[in-house]
Amino acid sequence: MILVLSYIVLFIYTIAILLIFFYSLAQLNLLLNYIKSKKTIQFIEKFNFLNANEIPLVTIQLPIYNEKYVIERLLQNIVLLDYPKDKLEIQVLDDSTDESVILIRILIAKYASQGIDIKHITRQIRTGFKAGALKEGLETAKGEFIAIFDADFMPDKDWLLKTIPNFKNTKVGVVQTRWGHLNRNYSILTKIQAFALDAHFTLEQTGRNSKQHCINFNGTAGVWRKSCIIDAGNWESDTLTEDLDLSYRAQLKNWKFIYLEDVETPAELPAIISAARSQQFRWNKGGAENFVKMASKVIASTTITRKTKFHGLLHLLNSSMFLCIFTMAVLSVPMLFVKNYFSHIGWYFDIMIFFIVTSIIFFTCYWFTYKNIQGGGFKNFINYIGMFFTFYAIAMGFSFQNSIAVLEGLLGKKSEFIRTPKFNIEALKEKWKENIYISRKISKNTIIEGFLVLYFLFGLFSGFKLNDFALFPFHLMLFFGFSYVFVQSLKTN
């Protein structure tokens, strides 16, 4: 019986490792695409803004929900955007339920008195959450193009002048820009978030877009052609990542997306772990929901190539990799005992080499993205090594919560859109602790993560007792990652 259970553990463990390995090969392919794209000059047909007749009408949508700490900064930034006033409309899509509504009303009245076309659109019921607000605003939007910014974004003054001209080709439905990070160096947490997002916004977005594979509008810091939104079926709220959903529906209808890596749009990263957890949960659950919703449509599509379908399915499965990581992590401890008590199958444990190769592939891929933004050189490479392994460990520490999110998404369990609280942390400094939007509740997931700290400590101890250190580095990273997430969750709550 024990031998049968051992084989079952071995089988599941192997499947998890191989799935992660094949995902890493897809990332390596994106890296090669990314490198090739740097050697290729892509011609994009553009509007001639020297001709006033070619300057289109633009609507900026600002979906807001209880953002008292950042709304003033947001509006101050948006009204300074360089674009003809008679060609620009601003919609503040305000679903707020607190006193920030009054502040927003005062600010809008002030800017409207200066001749700015700015409107305050409120709803009594948050039907469809962010997707519902965007859809309702679209009904009255005057612009041919719809620029969207979340409350924590601060586009540069010339942002519209860099993005809107790229819509000259009528087949272009979306122009997306790269996120920057206002508080990258605030803490370890913000550093590893920036590290991961930089990889997405360089390697993945450019790697896919350069070969016309499906990419995603990232929910903010991008522009939609209004007719593209409508043609693709408009915003829908049946997933927690409405941006990924509409992106795929649009591209399956043959709309083209343009990704501008060189146009950076600064934003504030979640600075405390409860905010990062809520964002990670929403993104990963939404990704899994979109896999369920869109996978069959991607496979059946006649408008995209087989290679694009392959990358599209892996893109939609992105969040599901956390489930594989967590499965591999949990089973790695019993695997120690299986290996040492059933020596006749010891040769099979060479399967771990696939995880080592996977780690090397990710290490290589992330170095190219890190070097592109932070610069090369020996000193930066040494810094990168420390950052990579810190990121790797803490990402594993998030794997339990993110696996729950993925399972809920795959199984169709519905939940509300929990928005990420914003802090304006660089201005308010330590006053962030007074933020009224912070959740003070310690979730059951945090308690389980505490037990997982002890579990992987047991894994380290078992390695010593069995005199088998093959999995020791892996268990050490898991111990560190889960300890960080657990302790930080207790501290901020």
Side-chain angles (χ1 to χ4, degrees), residues 104-329:
I104 293 170
R105 191 176 298 135
I106 293 170
L107 289 170
I108 288 176
K110 180 182 79 171
Y111 292 125
S113 68
Q114 297 172 7
I116 296 169
D117 186 358
I118 184 169
K119 297 177 178 64
H120 191 196
I121 300 175
T122 60
R123 303 188 298 165
Q124 295 299 314
I125 303 174
R126 293 178 65 212
T127 304
F129 305 104
K130 180 180 177 180
L134 293 170
K135 186 175 182 179
E136 186 163 318
L138 197 67
E139 293 176 4
T140 56
K142 296 184 293 188
E144 181 184 351
F145 300 101
I146 312 295
I148 301 172
F149 297 103
D150 283 347
D152 50 340
F153 279 75
M154 297 181 65
D156 291 338
K157 190 175 180 180
D158 61 352
W159 193 91
L160 290 172
L161 301 180
K162 290 180 177 178
T163 55
I164 300 299
N166 295 280
F167 283 99
K168 174 83 170 183
N169 184 339
T170 56
K171 292 182 180 179
V172 174
V174 168
V175 171
Q176 174 68 52
T177 65
R178 177 171 60 85
W179 293 6
H181 315 293
L182 294 168
N183 58 331
R184 174 192 294 270
N185 296 316
Y186 180 79
S187 65
I188 290 176
L189 181 63
T190 57
K191 286 179 180 178
I192 62 132
Q193 288 178 89
F195 186 82
L197 286 169
D198 286 345
H200 169 68
F201 279 100
T202 52
L203 170 74
E204 293 183 356
Q205 290 287 67
T206 304
R208 291 189 181 106
N209 192 231
S210 65
K211 296 296 183 181
Q212 296 302 302
H213 299 324
C214 294
I215 66 169
N216 59 299
F217 168 68
N218 294 103
T220 176
V223 187
W224 283 85
R225 188 186 296 269
K226 184 178 180 181
S227 59
C228 173
I229 297 175
I230 295 169
D231 181 58
N234 216 322
W235 296 103
E236 294 180 358
S237 57
D238 55 345
T239 72
L240 291 179
T241 46
E242 72 294 323
D243 46 2
L244 179 60
D245 171 30
L246 185 58
S247 296
Y248 266 76
R249 285 188 279 122
Q251 286 167 107
L252 291 180
K253 296 204 75 172
N254 227 19
W255 286 95
K256 306 301 179 188
F257 282 34
I258 292 177
Y259 177 64
L260 302 178
E261 183 187 356
D262 295 333
V263 180
E264 180 182 6
T265 311
E268 183 177 289
L269 294 160
I272 65 169
I273 203 160
S274 61
R277 287 174 75 109
S278 66
Q279 186 181 74
Q280 285 285 309
F281 192 90
R282 186 176 74 250
W283 285 354
N284 285 287
K285 182 172 181 177
E289 289 174 329
N290 271 290
F291 174 76
V292 173
K293 180 176 180 177
M294 299 303 302
S296 61
K297 296 176 183 177
V298 169
I299 293 170
S301 174
T302 58
T303 61
I304 58 177
T305 66
R306 270 184 285 186
K307 193 167 185 180
T308 296
K309 289 180 182 183
F310 172 75
H311 275 288
L313 290 173
L314 284 178
H315 186 192
L316 293 170
L317 277 170
N318 194 355
S319 63
S320 298
M321 287 301 108
F322 278 107
L323 192 56
C324 294
I325 291 168
F326 183 68
T327 299
M328 181 181 67

Side-chain angles (χ1 to χ4, degrees), residues 328-347:
M328 181 181 67
V330 169
L331 293 182
S332 65
V333 176
M335 284 292 287
L336 266 177
F337 293 92
V338 172
K339 178 182 178 182
N340 283 274
Y341 285 101
F342 298 101
S343 57
H344 66 285
I345 58 173
W347 61 271

